[in-house]
Amino acid sequence: MKHSTAEILREYPFPEAETVAGVSFDGENVWFAAGDMLNAFDPETGKTLRSIDVAAHAGTAYDGRYFYQIAGDRIQKIDPDTGKVLSTIPSPGGGRDSGMTWAEGRLWVGQYRERKIHQIDPETGAILRTIESNRFVTGVTWVDGELWHATWEAEQSDLRRVDPQTGKVLETLDMPAGMGISGLESDGGDRLFCGSGNARVIRAVRRPR
C-alpha cells in the first residue's frame, strides 16, 4: 500500500456558509451542500456563481444532467436549471449517510459511523452491494476507474483509494492535523475537492498519478 501526506493545492473559504458538507463537480464548477443551500463556485477564481434553495445536509452527486442531494433520510434528484426536486428515494443509512457520488449509472453513498459505502439504484434506492471500511466514511468519489473515499475519525482525516470489489486500501493520503474532510469529489483530473464541515473551507488536494 502506498502511503503519503496529502498535498494541498488551494483553499477556498466560505465564511458565510452554514457548513460545507457534500461536494460535487459538473465539469466546470464545484458545488457544495451548505445546509439549506446547494452552492456553486468557479474553482479557478473561487467566486460563488449561484445557489439553489434546497435542503442539503450531506453528500452531493452529479450524473451529467441532474444533481442528487442527501437531505435527512432521503436523496433528492434536482434539476439544476430550475432548482426543482424531481423525485426522492430513501437514503441507505436512513439519515446516517455522509458522502455520495455517481459512477456507471449508480449512486455510491458513504455511511459514516457504520464505516460502509453502499452502491445503490438511483431510481429505487435499493442497495446493490456494500463495501466495508475500518474508519468512519465521509466523502466518496470515482475518477479514472478509481474509487476514493475520505475518512474523519478522532480528529484525523485521510483520503483512501480502495479496491471497489473488496474495499482493500490501495493508497492513503494523510491530511494535516485538524483538517477534517466531509464531502469529496474529483474534477476528473489531478484535483480532489474536499469539504471541511463547520470549518467552512473547501481544499483542493493533488491526486497522485
Side-chain angles (χ1 to χ4, degrees):
M1 183 185 76
K2 295 186 197 168
H3 194 103
S4 55
T5 300
E7 180 188 349
I8 295 167
L9 301 172
R10 183 167 177 179
E11 293 196 342
Y12 305 89
F14 297 97
E16 72 288 347
E18 179 185 320
T19 186
V20 176
V23 182
S24 197
F25 184 72
D26 68 4
E28 289 185 16
N29 302 314
V30 179
W31 292 74
F32 69 91
D36 56 2
M37 288 278 182
L38 192 53
N39 297 329
F41 72 93
D42 182 334
E44 306 313 319
T45 65
K47 182 181 176 188
T48 300
L49 301 173
R50 60 175 292 215
S51 298
I52 296 174
D53 188 0
V54 66
H57 303 142
T60 311
Y62 181 67
D63 70 359
R65 176 68 185 90
Y66 301 107
F67 283 105
Y68 295 82
Q69 177 60 57
I70 296 173
D73 63 357
R74 63 195 190 282
I75 297 170
Q76 305 179 122
K77 183 177 180 178
I78 300 162
D79 185 328
D81 297 330
T82 65
K84 285 185 176 170
V85 175
L86 303 175
S87 60
T88 64
I89 56 174
S91 63
R96 300 183 304 279
D97 310 88
S98 49
M100 182 167 62
T101 195
W102 175 272
E104 299 170 343
R106 305 290 188 221
L107 288 168
W108 296 72
V109 184
Q111 204 178 334
Y112 180 57
R113 289 183 180 274
E114 281 72 18
R115 302 182 170 99
K116 292 176 180 174
I117 299 169
H118 301 292
Q119 183 197 50
I120 69 168
D121 184 317
E123 298 297 321
T124 65
I127 296 172
L128 304 174
R129 62 193 183 92
T130 299
I131 299 169
E132 305 269 348
S133 178
N134 62 359
R135 282 175 59 83
F136 291 170
V137 174
T138 55
V140 186
T141 192
W142 277 87
V143 55
D144 291 340
E146 298 175 355
L147 175 59
W148 288 81
H149 77 83
T151 74
W152 191 348
E153 188 169 355
E155 298 306 306
Q156 180 60 44
S157 277
D158 60 25
L159 290 160
R160 299 178 164 199
R161 178 167 63 88
V162 301
D163 184 311
Q165 301 300 324
T166 65
K168 180 185 176 184
V169 180
L170 305 174
E171 182 170 7
T172 63
L173 306 176
D174 291 327
M175 292 294 280
M179 290 188 183
I181 303 174
S182 50
L184 173 67
E185 183 68 294
S186 163
D187 69 351
D190 291 335
R191 293 177 295 187
L192 295 165
F193 292 104
C194 303
S196 63
N198 293 335
R200 301 194 289 268
V201 171
I202 289 176
R203 298 180 175 97
V205 171
R206 185 184 301 280
R207 176 171 71 97
R209 293 297 185 123

